[in-house]
Amino acid sequence: MNRRCPKCIHPSSGQKLYNPADISQDVSVSSIQQKEDKLEISWNDNHHSTFPLSWLRDHCYSKKNLIAKTDPKLKTWKNGLKIPTLPFEEVMNTPEGLREWLDELYTVGLVKITGCSVAPGTVERLARRISHPRETMYGTIFDVVSIPDAMNIAYTSTALDPHMDLLYYEAPPGLQFLHCLVSEAKGGLSTFMDAFQCADIMRTESPDLFNVITRVPTTYHKQGKDHSLSLQKTIVEVNDNGHIVGVNYSPQFGGVISVPEEEVLDYYRAVSAFTEITRRKEMELSFHLKPGEIITFNNRRVLHGRTSFDANSGGRHLQGIYVDLDEFYSKYRTFHRRETK
Amino acid sequence: MNRRCPKCIHPSSGQKLYNPADISQDVSVSSIQQKEDKLEISWNDNHHSTFPLSWLRDHCYSKKNLIAKTDPKLKTWKNGLKIPTLPFEEVMNTPEGLREWLDELYTVGLVKITGCSVAPGTVERLARRISHPRETMYGTIFDVVSIPDAMNIAYTSTALDPHMDLLYYEAPPGLQFLHCLVSEAKGGLSTFMDAFQCADIMRTESPDLFNVITRVPTTYHKQGKDHSLSLQKTIVEVNDNGHIVGVNYSPQFGGVISVPEEEVLDYYRAVSAFTEITRRKEMELSFHLKPGEIITFNNRRVLHGRTSFDANSGGRHLQGIYVDLDEFYSKYRTFHRRETK
């Protein structure tokens, strides 16, 4: 029960000072009156609540309201997308630049930042404009260069099919930033794709198989000398109201599935159907990321990859960093809340 | 499809070099033979697999095997628990000490480490024995002391009812470490409780209400000047095989629920029933954490709290830190894998 009663909330932290379980289930209204745009209620346990009428409307339990609230309101895209592009200085130094970056990251999920220095560590400065970075088994800043005996094929010159990073973590990184420092090698185009768009197409084309990959989990794992991570997740997540709210797609890290025998064949048919959509040319954006550019994207929505490159033809060096989705949404909401005040 | 075919796996990273979607759904066996404890299969697409028989048994799709694999095999407890206790030096400097700590954290979820220095930062040294710490909006190391205008009631002298930390994050911290540096104030006993045990009792006593809190989500939120986090989670999570695999309980951070109208009353009845169990005296362990002790526990399973203390009667200073559950499980599994080799 939300009381909005001044004596029930700690003033500086905003935390509840009561447990809803302690409110009698027989609590009733002693008096109620509307004062302008507020409703004032006195309860028979000597507490008092003041609800703005708009607050009551926002939190209405009606089905229509619940559905509207869980619609993420995204702009899905194919390879015709004109990538939203912003200058580094504007994003770093102006509230308008930050706001536009946050908005495009939220609705489109892919934003290019130009005019950056090629100094190592620049990518962390940009990340901290939103929040502290997320440290993973690959460290905080990771260097994408071709090295021998790599712990990840990202650190070779091999092509990388479209994928998301670190799905073997419970909460895979939300935002990913890739900063180009050197790009002299032949090949190595960056590729991006809207996985929510892929899922949406699959729902239209193959509703039965779509249902399978929202229900039968795949396994993502990372096994190494010092690591052993393994988790089950469905490739597509749909909320109770039918909105696509998550995609988990990273075939390179697929582990042994652990599903009932009668689901196995349908599972593989469904994964193949999704993969086929990710290979359609019209789904994929590809371009040459140039030194001084940072591509920023939502790793939980946008697949990324690269074409192979010739490591003998010149250097190629990217620096990457992650920020958690929680911190991104928090920044996005805080910014919008301030604006509407 | 898991091929275990040498030409399909990258040697140093262990990543798949093929996409299962590229294996024909008409693939068939050309030849098959058992060689000692292995099964060798040649496929009609010129790939070859070698499966140890034990591997095939471990990954069998039978219902019995799937159920056994998802049983977390925990030792639940009440206030009769003798808290597993280990010396700091043993945990830091011997593989046996580390192994015992990891094992007790996994099965019991609560371990006291004694004989620590009272130097600030000691808690991070201990955390790094498992993994890098998790940074949150409260920083990396957080100081639990009574201060004015606190951003969290933990930083006052108020009693804290049993709760978990940071449930408004998508993946709340797994391990929590609290290091006592100073304990001179009157009061301020530390309290702990096995939330999986509480959930298990509720399932036996009130199966219908138990079903409600595994199905109807609560809202956890943290709103502040620079933060706006809000997520929906069920208080108890049960897997497809009926094992309790998660509890999310932190009434101080309960936000406005967003559930269908017809579920509202049942939801509050169910939360009250769970809360009533958390208040039974036999569920709660309480003790005075002494300077030089670090209590380590699974924040996703064990509720923690404290009694109020008199901030005028003397100092009280704890330092805390978190480690993600992914990293803990990874360390635990890596350790056990090495041992069985």
Side-chain angles (χ1 to χ4, degrees), chain A residues 1 12 22 150 170 268 300, chain B residues 1 12 150 170 268 279 300:
Chain A
M1 225 163 277
S12 63
D22 293 327
E170 189 183 5
Y268 281 111
R300 304 285 285 278
Chain B
M1 225 162 277
S12 63
E170 189 183 5
Y268 281 111
R279 288 178 174 170
R300 304 285 284 278

Side-chain angles (χ1 to χ4, degrees), chain A residues 1 12 15 22 150 153 169-170 224-226 228 253 258 268 279 300 326-327 330 333 337-338, chain B residues 1 12 15 22 69 150 153 169-170 224-226 228 253 268 279 300 326-327 330 333 337-338:
Chain A
M1 225 163 277
S12 63
Q15 280 167 255
D22 293 327
I153 55 175
Y169 277 104
E170 189 183 5
K225 189 167 63 70
D226 296 318
S228 175
F253 287 94
S258 190
Y268 281 111
R279 288 179 173 169
R300 304 285 285 278
D326 295 310
E327 305 292 359
S330 176
R333 289 194 203 110
R337 195 180 51 193
R338 276 188 194 139
Chain B
M1 225 162 277
S12 63
Q15 279 167 257
D22 292 327
K69 274 206 285 189
I153 55 175
Y169 277 104
E170 189 183 5
K225 189 167 63 69
D226 295 318
S228 175
F253 287 93
Y268 281 111
R279 288 178 174 170
R300 304 285 284 278
D326 295 311
E327 305 292 0
S330 176
R333 288 194 203 109
R337 196 180 49 193
R338 276 189 195 138

Side-chain angles (χ1 to χ4, degrees), chain B residues 8-277:
Chain B
C8 296
I9 300 288
H10 186 260
S12 63
S13 70
Q15 279 167 257
K16 276 185 178 164
L17 294 175
Y18 68 101
N19 187 316
D22 292 327
I23 299 174
S24 162
Q25 289 179 21
D26 303 320
V27 70
S28 65
V29 170
S30 301
S31 75
I32 182 165
Q33 65 175 140
Q34 187 180 338
K35 277 200 181 161
E36 293 174 3
D37 57 351
K38 294 194 173 71
L39 198 67
E40 295 189 354
I41 300 178
S42 293
W43 305 93
N44 66 346
D45 61 356
N46 290 319
H47 287 265
H48 305 276
S49 306
T50 303
F51 298 101
L53 297 179
S54 60
W55 187 97
L56 290 170
R57 169 53 62 202
D58 286 349
H59 295 90
C60 172
Y61 295 128
S62 74
K63 195 171 175 190
K64 189 177 153 194
N65 191 47
L66 294 180
I67 291 176
K69 274 206 285 189
T70 63
D71 180 355
K73 297 183 187 68
L74 309 175
K75 291 182 202 160
T76 51
W77 45 268
K78 297 189 184 178
N79 73 353
L81 175 74
K82 192 172 168 301
I83 303 176
T85 301
L86 291 164
F88 182 78
E89 289 303 327
E90 201 173 308
V91 167
M92 292 299 288
N93 300 323
T94 72
E96 296 75 21
L98 175 58
R99 190 187 68 84
E100 196 171 342
W101 185 35
L102 293 171
D103 285 357
E104 299 285 11
L105 276 174
Y106 183 87
T107 55
V108 177
L110 181 68
V111 182
K112 191 192 284 182
I113 308 294
T114 55
C116 314
S117 149
V118 293
T122 303
V123 74
E124 182 169 345
R125 285 177 56 207
L126 183 66
R128 286 191 183 275
R129 183 76 170 134
I130 295 181
S131 175
H132 60 267
R134 159 85 174 267
E135 187 173 349
T136 72
M137 70 165 80
Y138 301 100
T140 300
I141 292 185
F142 51 93
D143 286 276
V144 185
V145 282
S146 181
I147 55 170
D149 293 326
M151 80 180 276
N152 190 305
I153 55 175
Y155 307 150
T156 67
S157 59
T158 309
L160 298 176
D161 281 344
H163 66 283
M164 290 161 172
D165 278 6
L166 282 78
L167 297 185
Y168 37 86
Y169 277 104
E170 189 183 5
L175 298 185
Q176 180 166 176
F177 306 71
L178 288 170
H179 177 206
C180 181
L181 281 75
V182 178
S183 177
E184 290 157 357
K186 279 182 193 142
L189 292 185
S190 297
T191 61
F192 295 93
M193 186 179 302
D194 186 345
F196 279 31
Q197 175 77 286
C198 295
D200 213 33
I201 289 170
M202 183 171 175
R203 172 154 59 180
T204 306
E205 292 182 352
S206 319
D208 293 344
L209 292 179
F210 179 80
N211 185 32
V212 172
I213 53 167
T214 62
R215 193 171 47 75
V216 182
T218 191
T219 301
Y220 288 116
H221 76 149
K222 170 71 181 164
Q223 306 297 336
K225 189 167 63 69
D226 295 318
H227 302 286
S228 175
L229 292 139
S230 180
L231 284 178
Q232 288 193 287
K233 303 185 176 187
T234 58
I235 289 183
V236 179
E237 295 167 11
V238 172
N239 70 13
D240 289 345
N241 302 315
H243 301 121
I244 292 165
V245 292
V247 173
N248 300 294
Y249 186 71
S250 186
Q252 297 92 335
F253 287 93
V256 186
I257 58 170
S258 190
V259 306
E261 189 173 358
E262 62 275 18
E263 306 269 28
V264 174
L265 283 179
D266 278 348
Y267 165 83
Y268 281 111
R269 276 185 203 111
V271 176
S272 292
F274 186 83
T275 298
E276 187 272 312
I277 293 168

Side-chain angles (χ1 to χ4, degrees), chain A residues 8-75:
Chain A
C8 295
I9 300 288
H10 186 259
S12 63
S13 70
Q15 280 167 255
K16 277 186 177 163
L17 294 175
Y18 67 100
N19 187 318
D22 293 327
I23 299 174
S24 162
Q25 289 179 21
D26 303 320
V27 70
S28 65
V29 171
S30 301
S31 75
I32 183 165
Q33 65 175 141
Q34 186 180 338
K35 277 199 181 163
E36 293 174 3
D37 57 351
K38 293 195 174 71
L39 198 67
E40 295 189 355
I41 300 179
S42 292
W43 305 93
N44 67 345
D45 61 357
N46 289 318
H47 287 265
H48 305 276
S49 306
T50 303
F51 298 100
L53 297 180
S54 60
W55 187 97
L56 290 170
R57 169 53 61 201
D58 286 348
H59 295 91
C60 172
Y61 295 129
S62 74
K63 195 171 175 191
K64 189 177 154 195
N65 190 47
L66 294 180
I67 291 177
K69 274 206 286 188
T70 63
D71 181 355
K73 297 183 187 68
L74 309 175
K75 291 183 202 159

